[in-house]
Every structure is written in structure tokens, then in C-alpha cells.
Amino acid sequence: MHLGFRPPALQWGQRVAWAAKSFTTEWVEFVNRATPRQLQALGFPPPGHRYWTTETLAGMALRYPKLDLLPWQPTN
């Protein structure tokens, strides 16, 4: 039996364990060229979501240096 738990407000969380493969060259290359909508379909929080803070964006920049993070920047 496969069980997954998450808070109800964590809509972008899922039980698919794609994260186990997230260090492969193929995954990183895909993320670097994917659109926000494509990434959202795979579980990334959408632009404007409160998850996207200065800290999380800095982490994404380190993890995916070729990804254009402009769509996820806060629109203050």
C-alpha cells in the first residue's frame, strides 16, 4: 500500500516520487527549458504562490542555474 500525507493547503504536493530522479542530467535539462505551466503540471508551485520567497528562489537558482526565474519573482 502506498500512502502519502500532506497538509490540505499544500496543493502542489503529491505522492509521485519524481524527486528521486531529480538529480539526473535529463531532469535538470528539462527543468532548465520548461515553462512555468509545464513545471506546475509536475508539482512545482505556480508563479505567485507563497512558496516562492527570496530563499526558495535562491535555492532554485543554485539547483537550476539556466532556469529563467523571472516568472516566479514577487510582483510587489
Side-chain angles (χ1 to χ4, degrees):
M1 181 183 298
H2 183 90
L3 298 174
F5 297 92
R6 65 173 172 79
L10 189 64
Q11 297 174 355
W12 52 269
Q14 72 278 344
R15 64 187 181 116
V16 178
W18 62 264
K21 303 227 180 228
S22 67
F23 292 97
T24 64
T25 302
E26 294 82 8
W27 175 256
V28 173
E29 288 175 359
F30 167 75
V31 171
N32 282 332
R33 68 177 188 274
T35 67
R37 184 136 169 101
Q38 289 170 322
L39 294 175
Q40 186 178 345
L42 295 170
F44 282 64
H49 191 280
R50 66 184 178 157
Y51 173 81
W52 298 113
T53 64
T54 302
E55 184 179 1
T56 57
L57 287 167
M60 285 290 286
L62 288 173
R63 179 76 185 260
Y64 304 107
K66 295 180 183 175
L67 178 61
D68 176 12
L69 293 172
L70 190 59
W72 292 277
Q73 295 295 323
T75 57
N76 293 339

